[in-house]
């Protein structure tokens, strides 16, 4: 606590400088941004447009996405030709003139795949028939005739390849199951999206007059908000003035309060310094003769001829005299005299009173604005004429009924077809599950055959083992081979059929749809037949670009901008609210605030600070105090000297001399406890007080002058600042209230031109259609046939490795025998020989 005044001085100067700088900067910046008052709150207008927004559909990221990407890349290799614009144009306008060779040239990749599928369909069943014939003659899939050294390596290699092929088949069939199920689950939402989209399009331009009327009625929302804020405009402006000035006023009052505390603390230290100095001087006068008497008597004893080992003690005894002399320091009576009666004022109570006066500003402002509020409410209560005719003068929609009827017919007629699509999808899903289960059966046979075969091989070394396990494993492998041959034809047929459909949908439709080549194709004159001309279907007088319309609709544009209705309807004429601005501005400029009652510093407090300023507290020679404080009270350590005398008393040959030395030691101890120790305690207290005053006094005088100057300046400038802030905040309040009407105008403009009759459902319907067709149906569809094709072609290595591996699981006809070493014989019984003892 003793260091507070020393730290207070720079902090007060920094705080006051920052406070005055902030208020001046706020006066200059307030008119520019009105942040101190605040902007108009965001009004929550109820959407007048009916909810016609289609939710965007999308495929969430999942573990199948890498598979979908692989299939798309494969299809890009198969169909590397660009979009066949000329071929599609001919097909739409003159279907009979389409040339087969052009179609074949475009579908060259699919033709190559068809040839591969045909070869597979032809060769694999033939190979299966040949294998059956061989099996009937016991020529294929038999057993190993002779055991040889490399048999284990061959058998292990074949088993490893068969296991690897089986695992590949297992992964493929699992992916096929997953994609088949995923496509089945996505089909129902995709079908349900069709009537939902058509219903949303039907409501695209319906209820437009009712929506415009709802827009005009919501003028009551900003009107009501302005009337509510007018009730508290006086208090609000007064609070804003209070808020902008309080940081500076409170900071000045805080500095005054802190300076008063520092003044009180300095007075306490100064009085404590004076009292301690008086006590030290009195103690010094009592201590000096006692120390001198002990020194003379002790030197007499130590200089006697019979005193043994007393030389060192004599030198200590000669130094037994006073160290610090506090008669040399200058008194502080003059400073205390100048500060007599200080502090006169109660700084804490004074600051609380000034705070209460300053806090009454909002109430004062509220009383002065009552009449102005009443007049402004009468102006705001009226409704602009333009908003009353907003809906009546809006241009009609001639084609609205025709569009609605056509969409209704399409929606009704599509439902039976959608039901059929779901029914056939169910059949496709069942067929896919059956074929996937059949491929899974081949995988199970291979795994069972491998497990039983390995079990049989492990038990073959046992003399009593049975070959049944190995034989069963071989039979399971041959069962898998048989199933593979049986499944080859239906699998390749299903794979190619689904590949041909799904691949063309992806490469011809989805790829060009995603790159927007379809829109560019439709925009090119002559590509579409007259019956498919969009401008004629919509009854428009001029052609529109489908791609441009799609992009505008995708950005959320309404038919207002797409069809350029601004040429036939002046919207801004209906949104003129200038009648509100002039009256508000005129009345708000007449507001005034009186701040003469705020004194900041009472006369008594002012006298206290002036007395401190002229007291000379900083001129006290604190260095002379510190010089004496650094010196010891007695130059010799009295306690240590007493202990040394006690030791000498015990070593003396003369009992009389020893007794005298012992008495002198006890006298020194009593002197230390009664006079030296209290004097040291007073010196320690004086040290704290002097250091506290020495650190705080110079800066305290400077800060006293600064606080007096700041208080005088602030008291003179507060009325000017308050008037300036009041004028600025009145403009900010006007801007805030106009902000509510501006929000309404902007909302009406946005609602009419962007939301009412928005064509977002049209672009979203196209995007959702692409997502449903390409992402939700085509991708799982293509992934399904890709996985089935994967399994179909891996059946060939599975057949080969299964046939070759099964031979090693059956019993061997003739085992390898060797008499060269016991280690090469499969069943060796050691011969018993005689032992030589």
């Amino acid at each position: 606590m003793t260091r507070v005044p020393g730290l207070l001085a720079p902090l007060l100067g920094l705080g006051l400088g920052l406070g005055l700088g902030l208020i001046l900067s706020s006066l200059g910046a307030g008119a520019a941004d009105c942040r101190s008052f605040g902007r108009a709150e965001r009004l929550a207008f109820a959407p007048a447009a009916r909810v016609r927004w289609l939710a965007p559909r999308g495929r969430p990221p999942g573990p199948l996405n890498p598979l979908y990407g692989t299939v798309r890349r494969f299809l890009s290799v198969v169909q590397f030709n660009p979009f066949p614009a000329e071929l599609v144009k001919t097909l739409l306008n003159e279907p009979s003139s389409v040339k087969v060779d052009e179609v074949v040239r475009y579908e060259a990749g699919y033709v190559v795949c068809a040839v591969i599928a045909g070869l597979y369909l032809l060769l694999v069943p033939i190979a299966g028939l040949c294998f059956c014939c061989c099996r009937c003659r016991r020529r294929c899939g038999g057993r190993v005739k002779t055991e040889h050294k490399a048999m284990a390596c061959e058998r292990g290699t074949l088993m490893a390849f068969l296991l690897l092929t089986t695992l590949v088949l297992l992964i493929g069939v699992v992916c096929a199951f997953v994609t088949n199920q995923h496509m089945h689950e996505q089909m129902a939402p995709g079908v349900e999206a069709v009537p939902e989209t058509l219903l949303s399009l039907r409501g695209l331009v319906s209820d437009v007059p009712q929506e415009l009327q709802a827009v005009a009625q919501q003028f009551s929302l900003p009107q009501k908000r302005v009337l509510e804020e007018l009730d508290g405009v006086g208090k609000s402006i007064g609070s804003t003035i209070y808020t902008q000035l309080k940081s500076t006023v409170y900071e000045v009052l805080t500095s005054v309060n802190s300076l008063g505390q520092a003044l009180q603390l300095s007075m306490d230290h100064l009085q404590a310094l004076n009292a301690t100095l008086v006590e030290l001087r009195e103690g010094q006068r009592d201590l000096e003769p006692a120390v001198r008497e002990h020194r003379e008597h002790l030197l007499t004893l130590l200089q006697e001829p019979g005193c043994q080992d007393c030389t060192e003690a004599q030198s200590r005894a000669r130094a037994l005299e006073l160290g610090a002399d506090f008669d040399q320091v200058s008194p502080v009576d003059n400073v205390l005299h100048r500060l007599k009666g200080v502090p006169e004022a109660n700084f804490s109570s004074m600051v609380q009173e000034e705070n209460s006066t300053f806090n009454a500003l909002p109430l004062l402002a509220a009383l002065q604005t009552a009449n102005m509020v009443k007049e402004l409410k009468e102006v705001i209560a009226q409704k602009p004429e333009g908003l009353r005719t907003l809906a009546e003068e809006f241009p009609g929609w001639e084609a609205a009924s025709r569009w609605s009827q056509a969409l209704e017919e399409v929606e009704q007629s599509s439902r039976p077809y959608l039901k059929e699509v779901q029914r056939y999808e169910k059949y496709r899903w069942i067929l896919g599950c059956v074929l996937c289960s059949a491929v899974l059966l081949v995988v199970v046979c291979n795994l069972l055959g491998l497990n039983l075969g390995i079990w049989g091989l492990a038990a073959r070394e046992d003399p009593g083992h049975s070959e049944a396990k190995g034989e069963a494993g071989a039979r399971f492998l041959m069962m898998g081979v048989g199933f593979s041959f049986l499944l080859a034809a239906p699998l390749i047929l299903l794979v190619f059929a689904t590949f041909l459909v799904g691949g063309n949908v992806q490469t011809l439709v989805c790829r060009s749809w995603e790159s927007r080549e379809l829109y560019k194709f439709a925009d090119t004159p002559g590509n579409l037949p007259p019956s498919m001309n969009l401008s004629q279907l919509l009854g428009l007088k001029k052609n529109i670009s489908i791609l441009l319309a799609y992009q505008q609709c995708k950005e959320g544009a309404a038919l207002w901008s797409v069809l350029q209705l601004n040429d036939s309807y002046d919207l801004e004429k209906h949104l003129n609210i200038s009648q509100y601005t002039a009256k508000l501005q005129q009345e708000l400029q007449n507001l005034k605030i009186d701040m003469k009652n705020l004194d900041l510093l009472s006369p008594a407090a002012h006298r206290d600070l002036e007395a401190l300023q002229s007291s000379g507290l900083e001129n006290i020679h604190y260095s002379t105090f510190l010089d004496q404080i650094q010196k010891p009270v007695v130059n010799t350590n009295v306690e240590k000297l007493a202990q040394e005398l006690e030791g000498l008393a015990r070593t003396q040959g003369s009992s009389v001399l020893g007794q005298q030395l012992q008495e002198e030691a006890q006298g020194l101890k009593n002197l230390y406890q009664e006079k030296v120790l209290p004097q040291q305690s007073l010196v320690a207290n004086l040290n704290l007080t002097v250091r506290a005053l020495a650190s705080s006094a110079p800066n305290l005088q400077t800060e006293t002058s600064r606080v007096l100057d700041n208080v005088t300046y602030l008291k003179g400038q507060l009325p000017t600042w308050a008037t300036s802030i009041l004028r600025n905040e009145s403009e900010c309040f006007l801007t805030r209230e106009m902000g509510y009407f501006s929000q309404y105008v902007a909302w009406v403009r946005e609602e009419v031109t962007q939301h009412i009759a928005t064509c977002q459902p049209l672009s979203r319907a196209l995007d959702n259609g692409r997502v449903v067709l390409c992402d939700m149906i085509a991708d799982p569809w293509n992934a399904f046939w890709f996985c089935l094709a994967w399994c179909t072609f891996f059946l060939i290595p599975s057949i080969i490795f299964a046939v070759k591996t099964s031979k090693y699981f059956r019993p061997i006809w003739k085992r390898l025998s060797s008499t060269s070493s016991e280690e090469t014989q499969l069943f060796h019984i050691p011969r018993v020989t005689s032992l030589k003892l």
Side-chain angles (χ1 to χ4, degrees):
M1 292 298 295
T2 58
R3 299 186 62 183
V4 170
L7 294 176
L8 179 64
L11 289 179
L12 285 176
L14 178 61
L16 291 174
L18 289 176
L20 293 175
L22 287 175
I23 189 63
L24 291 174
S25 63
S26 66
L27 289 175
D33 52 23
C34 293
R35 288 183 299 177
S36 59
F37 192 88
R39 296 181 179 180
E41 297 179 3
R42 189 70 179 175
L43 295 178
F45 296 100
R50 303 296 174 88
V51 180
R52 302 296 180 188
W53 295 82
L54 281 176
R57 293 182 178 272
R59 183 181 63 207
L64 294 178
N65 284 352
L67 178 60
Y68 296 154
T70 303
V71 177
R72 288 190 178 188
R73 288 189 290 271
F74 172 76
L75 289 175
S76 298
V77 175
V78 173
Q79 181 54 281
F80 53 86
N81 293 317
F83 180 75
E86 292 297 327
L87 182 60
V88 176
K89 175 183 178 181
T90 305
L91 181 64
L92 292 176
N93 292 277
E94 299 178 5
S96 59
S97 62
V98 176
K99 297 180 180 180
V100 178
D101 58 341
E102 294 181 358
V103 177
V104 172
R105 190 179 302 109
Y106 175 72
E107 300 282 350
Y110 293 97
V111 173
V112 173
C113 293
V115 172
I116 296 174
L119 291 175
Y120 187 96
L121 182 62
L122 179 65
L123 296 179
V124 174
I126 292 175
L129 291 176
C130 295
F131 181 76
C132 290
C133 295
C134 290
R135 286 291 298 155
C136 292
R137 297 185 178 184
R138 300 179 180 273
R139 293 180 180 273
C140 299
R143 63 186 67 191
V144 179
K145 302 215 178 346
T146 304
E147 184 177 13
H148 51 87
K149 293 182 178 180
M151 186 181 70
C153 181
E154 294 176 0
R155 181 177 60 206
T157 303
L158 290 172
M159 289 168 58
F161 278 111
L162 178 59
L163 178 60
L164 180 61
T165 305
T166 304
L167 292 178
V168 173
L169 282 173
L170 179 60
I171 295 172
V173 75
V174 169
C175 292
F177 266 119
V178 173
T179 54
N180 185 51
Q181 182 64 28
H182 187 66
M183 183 175 61
H184 183 66
E185 293 174 354
Q186 295 295 331
M187 183 62 72
V191 170
E192 293 173 358
V194 175
E196 177 186 348
T197 302
L198 293 175
L199 287 174
S200 179
L201 294 177
R202 279 183 57 193
L204 181 61
V205 292
S206 62
D207 301 329
V208 173
Q210 292 83 353
E211 293 174 359
L212 291 173
Q213 190 64 32
V215 167
Q217 290 176 355
Q218 292 201 48
F219 178 74
S220 61
L221 188 60
Q223 193 177 44
K224 181 180 178 181
R225 178 59 65 89
V226 172
L227 291 175
E228 290 177 354
E229 293 196 358
L230 280 174
D231 289 332
V233 62
K235 186 176 180 180
S236 179
I237 293 179
S239 298
T240 304
I241 298 174
Y242 165 77
T243 300
Q244 290 198 12
L245 291 178
K246 70 176 182 180
S247 59
T248 301
V249 174
Y250 284 169
E251 197 160 352
V252 170
L253 291 177
T254 301
S255 65
V256 170
N257 189 29
S258 300
L259 191 58
Q261 294 177 359
L263 173 61
Q264 181 65 56
L265 189 60
S266 298
M267 286 299 302
D268 294 341
H269 284 156
L270 187 61
Q271 292 171 358
L273 183 148
N274 186 60
T276 304
L277 183 60
V278 171
E279 293 183 19
L280 281 173
R281 288 175 174 175
E282 292 177 355
Q284 180 177 313
R285 286 192 290 270
D286 294 339
L287 180 61
E288 183 178 6
V291 169
R292 184 172 57 253
E293 180 182 355
H294 279 281
R295 183 180 69 250
E296 295 174 354
H297 185 255
L298 183 58
L299 286 174
T300 302
L301 293 176
L302 294 175
Q303 290 175 357
E304 290 185 3
C307 186
Q308 300 176 1
D309 300 328
C310 297
T311 305
E312 184 176 356
Q314 289 180 17
S315 62
R316 292 182 182 276
R318 290 189 184 94
L320 188 62
E321 58 184 6
L322 294 183
D325 186 4
F326 291 99
D327 290 331
Q328 297 180 6
V329 299
S330 58
V332 294
D333 296 339
N334 294 333
V335 177
L336 283 174
H337 179 72
R338 296 189 190 99
L339 293 175
K340 184 178 181 180
V342 175
E344 178 183 354
N346 188 335
F347 281 82
S348 178
S349 300
M350 179 197 67
V351 169
Q352 290 180 1
E353 183 179 351
E354 296 299 324
N355 280 334
S356 300
T357 302
F358 180 69
N359 293 339
L361 278 176
L363 180 59
L364 179 63
L367 294 176
Q368 295 180 1
T369 57
N371 294 331
M372 180 195 67
V373 169
K374 184 178 179 180
E375 296 177 2
L376 289 176
K377 283 186 175 182
E378 296 176 357
V379 177
I380 300 300
Q382 301 176 3
K383 187 175 183 180
E385 181 65 24
L387 293 177
R388 300 176 186 174
T389 60
L390 178 65
E392 299 173 0
E393 299 181 6
F394 201 80
W397 299 78
E398 298 178 357
S401 60
R402 185 171 67 253
W403 297 348
S404 178
Q405 184 178 359
L407 289 172
E408 183 179 2
E409 292 176 358
V410 172
E411 189 266 334
Q412 293 295 333
S413 61
S414 65
R415 292 187 181 274
Y417 294 102
L418 296 177
K419 292 181 180 178
E420 290 297 317
V421 169
Q422 289 181 313
R423 185 165 66 90
Y424 284 110
E425 163 58 22
K426 184 176 182 180
Y427 297 153
R428 186 214 57 80
W429 174 72
I430 293 174
L431 179 61
C433 290
V434 171
L435 290 178
C436 290
S437 300
V439 176
L440 184 61
L441 183 60
V442 174
V443 173
V444 172
C445 289
N446 285 352
L447 293 177
L448 287 176
L450 283 172
N451 287 329
L452 291 174
I454 294 172
W455 191 8
L457 291 175
R460 184 172 288 176
E461 302 301 328
D462 186 4
H465 85 285
S466 173
E467 297 287 351
K469 301 181 184 65
E471 185 67 29
R475 289 181 181 277
F476 270 109
L477 292 180
M478 298 311 294
M479 287 173 60
V481 171
F483 285 129
S484 300
F485 282 121
L486 292 176
L487 291 174
L491 278 176
I492 196 63
L493 289 175
L494 178 63
V495 166
F496 182 73
T498 53
F499 159 70
L500 186 61
V501 176
N504 276 291
V505 169
Q506 172 62 36
T507 57
L508 183 61
V509 180
C510 295
R511 189 166 63 187
S512 57
W513 197 344
E514 186 174 359
S515 64
R516 301 186 180 180
E517 290 184 54
L518 286 180
Y519 302 130
K520 297 177 183 178
F521 173 81
D523 283 337
T524 303
N527 284 349
L528 297 178
S531 59
M532 300 178 64
N533 188 284
L534 182 61
S535 298
Q536 295 179 5
L537 292 175
L538 297 177
L540 301 178
K541 297 180 181 180
K542 56 182 179 180
N543 292 330
I544 62 172
S545 170
I546 297 178
L547 179 58
L548 180 60
Y550 166 77
Q551 291 174 344
Q552 289 178 334
C553 293
K554 189 175 180 65
E555 293 173 357
L559 293 180
W560 170 280
S561 58
V562 175
L563 304 181
Q564 300 179 1
L565 297 178
N566 55 326
D567 296 334
S568 58
Y569 183 74
D570 188 4
L571 181 60
E572 298 302 324
K573 182 184 69 174
H574 298 271
L575 301 179
N576 188 2
I577 59 170
S578 59
Q579 58 178 314
Y580 297 95
T581 309
K583 187 64 175 178
L584 278 171
Q585 186 173 7
Q586 180 181 358
E587 295 295 335
L588 287 173
Q589 287 179 350
N590 298 327
L591 184 63
K592 295 181 180 179
I593 299 295
D594 185 9
M595 298 185 63
K596 295 181 179 179
N597 295 329
L598 188 63
D599 292 331
L600 297 178
L601 197 64
S602 66
H606 200 277
R607 289 193 297 271
D608 287 340
L609 295 182
E610 288 181 344
L612 176 62
Q613 191 175 16
S614 60
S615 64
L617 182 63
E618 74 281 4
N619 296 326
I620 297 176
H621 298 290
Y622 298 104
S623 58
T624 58
F625 282 89
L626 295 175
D627 291 340
Q628 297 302 321
I629 289 171
Q630 298 299 327
K631 298 177 181 180
V633 176
V634 180
N635 287 336
T636 300
N637 190 328
V638 178
E639 274 189 313
K640 189 172 181 181
L641 179 60
Q643 294 174 0
E644 186 176 354
L645 291 177
E646 290 178 346
L648 287 175
R650 289 191 295 269
T651 59
Q652 296 303 315
S654 173
S655 60
V656 176
L657 182 59
Q659 180 63 30
Q660 290 177 344
L661 289 174
Q662 184 67 33
E663 292 176 355
E664 187 61 30
Q666 185 62 39
L668 288 176
K669 286 183 178 182
N670 294 337
L671 177 67
Y672 177 77
Q673 292 293 332
E674 295 174 1
K675 295 185 179 182
V676 176
L677 192 59
Q679 197 78 349
Q680 290 177 348
S681 177
L682 291 174
V683 170
N685 293 336
L686 182 64
N687 182 38
L688 295 176
T689 305
V690 169
R691 291 186 182 277
L693 286 174
S695 61
S696 63
N699 291 328
L700 188 60
Q701 297 298 317
T702 303
E703 292 309 316
T704 301
S705 301
R706 184 177 300 179
V707 168
L708 287 173
D709 294 341
N710 288 337
V711 168
T712 303
Y713 174 76
L714 183 59
K715 185 176 180 180
Q717 291 297 322
L718 272 180
T720 304
W721 289 350
T723 302
S724 177
I725 294 173
L726 177 62
R727 185 179 301 110
N728 178 70
E729 293 307 314
S730 299
E731 295 176 0
C732 289
F733 178 77
L734 177 63
T735 303
R736 177 186 177 90
E737 303 313 308
M738 289 300 100
Y740 292 123
F741 293 111
S742 299
Q743 287 185 45
Y744 173 74
V745 171
W747 174 77
V748 172
R749 187 181 297 111
E750 179 182 358
E751 197 74 9
V752 172
T753 60
Q754 299 183 22
H755 298 297
I756 292 180
T758 177
C759 65
Q760 186 270 348
L762 179 60
S763 63
R764 187 59 56 79
L766 293 174
D767 291 339
N768 288 352
R770 187 196 63 79
V771 170
V772 170
L773 178 62
C774 301
D775 295 346
M776 300 173 63
I777 297 178
D779 277 350
W781 175 287
N782 291 330
F784 173 67
W785 64 251
F786 185 81
C787 295
L788 274 186
W790 176 353
C791 297
T792 301
F793 284 97
F794 268 94
L795 287 177
I796 296 176
S798 175
I799 292 171
I800 296 172
F801 293 133
V803 171
K804 289 187 172 294
T805 305
S806 64
K807 297 192 300 182
Y808 291 94
F809 291 163
R810 292 191 173 96
I812 303 175
W813 283 0
K814 184 177 181 181
R815 293 176 178 269
L816 176 68
S817 60
S818 174
T819 59
S820 62
S821 175
E822 293 180 356
E823 295 179 357
T824 61
Q825 299 181 13
L826 298 178
F827 302 96
H828 175 71
I829 303 175
R831 178 180 299 174
V832 179
T833 58
S834 60
L835 301 175
K836 294 181 180 182
L837 301 177

